[in-house]
Amino acid sequence: MANVIVVGAQFGDEGKAKVTDLLSRNADIVVRYQGGANAGHTVVVDGDTFKFHLIPSGILYKGKTCVLGPGMVIDPKAFVKELKGLTDRGLDDSGLKVSNTAHVTMPYHLAIDAADEESRGDHKIGTTKRGIGPTYADKCSRSGIRIEDLLDAKVLRGKLEWLVPKKNIILERLYNLPPFDVDAVYEEYLDYGKQMAKYVCDTSAIIFNAVQERKNILFEGAQGTLLDLDHGSYPYVTSSNPSAGGACTGAGIGPTIIDRVIGVSKAFMTRVGEGPFPTEQEGKIGEDLRQVGKAWAEVGVTTGRPRRCGWFDTVIGRYAVRINGLDCLAITKLDVLDEFDEIQVCVGYRNKQNGSIIKNISSLAGEFRDAEPIYETFKGWKESTSQCRSFKDLPKQAQRYLDFIAGELEVPVAIVSVGPMRDQTIIIEDPIHGPKRVLTHVNN
């Protein structure tokens, strides 16, 4: 299989979990490299639905090593609850590994996150209020608590006695919220440490040894390229790097071991929360995209918020190819478009301020916020794709649609999903060992 990164090529919620689940069958190790309990991945197996927030979906396969990497921020309370839900359903946790250097989301992080978002008024950024930003902020300020600290009573106590009073000042004076008690937090999180201890280890060493042994490693990101802290639609982004580059720092490995990067995109687009979304459809079309099929209903797995929906955007697609170095695409939810009379694809932007035409954005700054989409319209295929299992089985108009996307992005479509079940998947070319993309220069 080689060493492969699976990355979201849009605003997150692209259906990465199903693609990761598909590729996990041939992986020895599945590594989650960034984010925290703000992620929401759904996998349907034999009619059973599994929802993941922290734990890699590779745990659905017995015998896989599933790693929560050092680039993650882990809420122990959420971890224990999620793991219990999985083991109660008979899943094997013997291969689960948690990085000793991953940072811990503490209760004051959740309180500050929620309070800060509410205080923004009309300037909300759409946080999931899972404490992710404040946890990464403490990490960057070198004052965070790491998983290994939960295993050392003396170290944990010392850090909390210094940290909690500082956080209480913020909560009480800035947000008029009740303070946290050092003793209560200490006892609760020391207990979480005991529950997690058997999973905690140096995960970077495990991954490095697997590379030496030529094992197959799958790196799984949360969120998507357009939510990347450095390369996304700032400030409407997450607090980590879900783009492909984040896999190396977030897993603790060097970039030379990566063989391939697979980008996951929906056949249309969605976004949860605030921020610019050029192809968003707010009327009937947007509602139809959101509601088609109960199993595919567009609501956030983590927050339950309705997703904003719109047409596929090739400008964003080309940006994702550049930022991640994508070798191929996995297109999900093609079946959602089955009943549309017409389907539109954004092929460029017109700048609302000066009228200039943009095919490739240099950044997600002003020109992105001021973008007016230019569409190419396709005739719908008006028949079900859910039973298709090869590219030639697809209606001709659906084939043309996929070929157009691949041509615009100059990256082949390797996988197409036509339903939530595992077998509702079309493999067009081997996504791992298929032909490498030839880069060409594209003028802005």
Side-chain angles (χ1 to χ4, degrees):
M1 172 178 163
N3 302 322
V4 178
I5 300 172
V6 175
V7 63
Q10 297 173 332
F11 292 103
D13 302 307
E14 301 97 343
K16 295 183 296 298
K18 181 179 177 182
V19 176
T20 302
D21 175 67
L22 172 71
L23 300 178
S24 293
R25 289 182 295 186
N26 297 317
D28 299 299
I29 299 178
V30 182
V31 183
R32 168 86 184 276
Y33 59 84
Q34 49 75 225
N38 56 333
H41 295 167
T42 303
V43 178
V44 181
V45 181
D46 297 329
D48 290 333
T49 299
F50 295 86
K51 295 183 183 295
F52 299 92
H53 299 281
L54 287 164
I55 297 171
S57 55
I59 200 170
L60 294 173
Y61 293 96
K62 188 176 178 60
K64 307 295 181 183
T65 298
C66 293
V67 173
L68 278 68
M72 289 186 65
V73 291
I74 300 171
D75 181 339
K77 186 175 183 178
F79 174 86
V80 169
K81 180 181 178 181
E82 183 174 335
L83 182 59
K84 184 178 186 305
L86 295 173
T87 54
D88 283 351
R89 297 174 72 173
L91 294 180
D92 178 21
D93 67 346
S94 61
L96 188 60
K97 309 295 180 184
V98 177
S99 172
N100 58 328
T101 59
H103 277 249
V104 180
T105 296
M106 301 296 289
Y108 45 77
H109 290 137
L110 279 82
I112 291 172
D113 193 8
D116 183 67
E117 178 74 353
E118 289 304 314
S119 72
R120 290 175 179 266
D122 294 336
H123 302 285
K124 287 182 172 61
I125 58 175
T127 173
T128 60
K129 302 179 183 178
R130 295 301 192 271
I132 307 302
T135 310
Y136 276 114
D138 276 4
K139 176 180 179 177
C140 291
S141 68
R142 294 161 293 179
S143 59
I145 291 174
R146 305 206 294 189
I147 291 292
E148 61 189 1
D149 298 331
L150 302 184
L151 311 184
D152 189 319
K154 184 177 180 180
V155 170
L156 180 62
R157 183 82 196 188
K159 286 193 171 185
L160 289 175
E161 287 181 347
W162 176 68
L163 277 167
V164 173
K166 292 180 66 176
K167 303 301 181 184
N168 283 343
I169 291 173
I170 296 172
L171 289 166
E172 291 181 287
R173 299 184 185 180
L174 187 58
Y175 298 119
N176 196 30
L177 292 173
F180 284 93
D181 178 71
V182 173
D183 292 335
V185 174
Y186 169 75
E187 293 295 338
E188 181 180 2
Y189 282 76
L190 187 64
D191 183 63
Y192 287 137
K194 293 175 182 177
Q195 295 182 63
M196 297 179 67
K198 71 175 184 176
Y199 308 107
V200 178
C201 60
D202 181 353
T203 58
S204 178
I206 289 175
I207 298 169
F208 182 76
N209 290 336
V211 172
Q212 298 293 94
E213 296 169 5
R214 302 185 67 81
K215 290 186 176 180
N216 297 322
I217 307 170
L218 183 65
F219 298 90
E220 171 189 0
Q223 291 87 45
T225 303
L226 277 292
L227 297 186
D228 188 277
L229 179 60
D230 294 305
H231 304 292
S233 54
Y234 190 89
Y236 306 101
V237 295
T238 192
S239 301
S240 60
N241 295 108
S243 55
C248 296
T249 53
I253 48 91
T256 54
I257 80 154
I258 301 301
D259 297 302
R260 205 159 173 83
V261 183
I262 300 174
V264 184
S265 294
K266 280 177 180 163
F268 50 106
M269 292 197 75
T270 62
R271 179 168 197 165
V272 173
E274 309 300 322
F277 182 0
T279 65
E280 181 176 10
Q281 300 295 304
E282 296 181 322
K284 183 179 184 303
I285 291 174
E287 191 62 24
D288 287 345
L289 287 169
R290 186 162 38 247
Q291 296 298 336
V292 170
K294 291 182 179 178
W296 286 112
E298 292 294 348
V299 294
V301 177
T302 300
T303 63
R305 293 179 294 187
R307 292 174 184 150
R308 300 155 62 192
C309 297
W311 297 120
F312 192 93
D313 188 331
T314 63
V315 182
I316 284 177
R318 285 188 285 270
Y319 182 78
V321 170
R322 173 163 65 89
I323 294 298
N324 296 292
L326 298 183
D327 293 297
C328 62
L329 295 171
I331 301 294
T332 64
K333 297 195 175 185
L334 182 70
D335 56 303
V336 170
L337 302 179
D338 286 352
E339 296 305 318
F340 283 83
D341 294 320
E342 290 185 339
I343 299 164
Q344 292 188 304
V345 178
C346 172
V347 295
Y349 299 151
R350 181 177 289 104
N351 188 292
K352 295 177 184 177
Q353 302 301 317
N354 58 30
S356 62
I357 304 301
I358 304 162
K359 294 282 283 187
N360 295 277
I361 46 178
S362 57
S363 70
L364 300 185
E367 61 183 2
F368 185 60
R369 291 192 297 271
D370 294 331
E372 181 179 75
I374 301 169
Y375 289 113
E376 182 151 336
T377 301
F378 289 79
K379 182 180 178 181
W381 42 93
K382 300 292 287 182
E383 58 181 289
S384 175
T385 58
S386 62
Q387 300 302 314
C388 296
R389 296 297 180 268
S390 70
F391 186 74
K392 64 181 179 60
D393 292 338
L394 291 169
K396 294 298 181 184
Q397 290 295 338
Q399 293 181 30
R400 180 170 176 263
Y401 181 73
L402 294 172
D403 285 340
F404 180 82
I405 289 173
E408 286 289 305
L409 273 56
E410 298 186 78
V411 174
V413 174
I415 299 172
V416 180
S417 174
V418 292
M421 307 300 290
R422 278 177 170 171
D423 67 340
Q424 291 179 300
T425 307
I426 298 169
I427 306 296
I428 297 175
E429 73 168 39
D430 183 343
I432 307 303
H433 302 296
K436 278 282 186 176
R437 175 171 52 93
V438 177
L439 287 173
T440 58
H441 179 71
V442 180
N443 292 320
N444 289 329

